[in-house]
Amino acid sequence: MMSKTVKWLLGGIAVCVVLYFVMSFFAVSWLSYFSTPPAIKTLGDKELIQKIKKEYNVQEIERTPAYEREIKQDTATYTLYLYSKDFCGISADSVQKKSMKIVQEIDKIKLDPKFYKYQLVFCCKLYNPNGVSFQYVRK
């Protein structure tokens, strides 16, 4: 008789522990889902980004800012980090014409009016944003 009571007690404790972890998982999932800031929807047309990659031999392009909360002021800068091994040891003069053409392409994107300036950074190493930089005022 005692063993039956112990089995029920241990079973009840096991169920409570499992329910605790399930509820914790749902609480954390729910909080993380609703606390994630909204992403900026018009960061660039994917076809245009692919065209820039192909035309200028760029391996990867990063864009910032990514979230609406990062646009803190009335004005913001739209930054493109262009990564390619071709940009190792380049001078500003050699990529200035490329940057101007890329900015003309970016002007076709319907960006948020808060973006008043473009910045292009030509980088040699992936995820190392040091390189030749150009800034242009948006038209």
Side-chain angles (χ1 to χ4, degrees):
M1 182 131 171
M2 189 78 149
S3 67
K4 188 175 182 182
T5 306
V6 171
K7 287 181 183 178
W8 276 101
L9 185 63
L10 290 176
I13 291 173
V15 168
C16 289
V17 168
V18 169
L19 283 175
Y20 171 77
F21 284 114
V22 168
M23 295 301 289
S24 298
F25 171 76
F26 282 116
V28 169
S29 299
W30 184 76
L31 286 173
S32 66
Y33 176 77
F34 288 108
S35 65
T36 303
I40 298 172
K41 294 178 180 137
T42 57
L43 267 187
D45 185 16
K46 290 182 181 180
E47 293 172 5
L48 179 65
I49 296 299
Q50 291 303 323
K51 179 182 174 185
I52 291 172
K53 280 183 175 182
K54 184 178 177 183
E55 192 170 324
Y56 300 103
N57 196 24
V58 174
Q59 285 133 3
E60 190 65 39
I61 297 177
E62 282 185 59
R63 297 167 278 181
T64 59
Y67 298 106
E68 288 181 8
R69 70 168 184 224
E70 295 173 350
I71 305 176
K72 297 176 183 167
Q73 309 136 342
D74 290 339
T75 57
T77 302
Y78 180 76
T79 306
L80 287 179
Y81 295 98
L82 306 156
Y83 297 101
S84 176
K85 295 188 186 222
D86 296 344
F87 300 144
C88 295
I90 58 167
S91 66
D93 296 335
S94 65
V95 290
Q96 186 173 11
K97 288 183 182 179
K98 284 183 184 181
S99 69
M100 293 174 79
K101 289 180 182 177
I102 291 171
V103 166
Q104 290 173 352
E105 294 290 331
I106 295 172
D107 273 335
K108 297 175 185 175
I109 301 172
K110 295 178 183 176
L111 290 173
D112 190 303
K114 290 182 180 179
F115 291 115
Y116 81 102
K117 188 172 24 172
Y118 301 126
Q119 181 179 13
L120 300 176
V121 182
F122 293 88
C123 308
C124 176
K125 295 180 182 176
L126 194 60
Y127 307 116
N128 183 8
N130 297 323
V132 178
S133 177
F134 296 97
Q135 288 190 359
Y136 299 95
V137 176
R138 184 177 178 192
K139 294 179 182 180

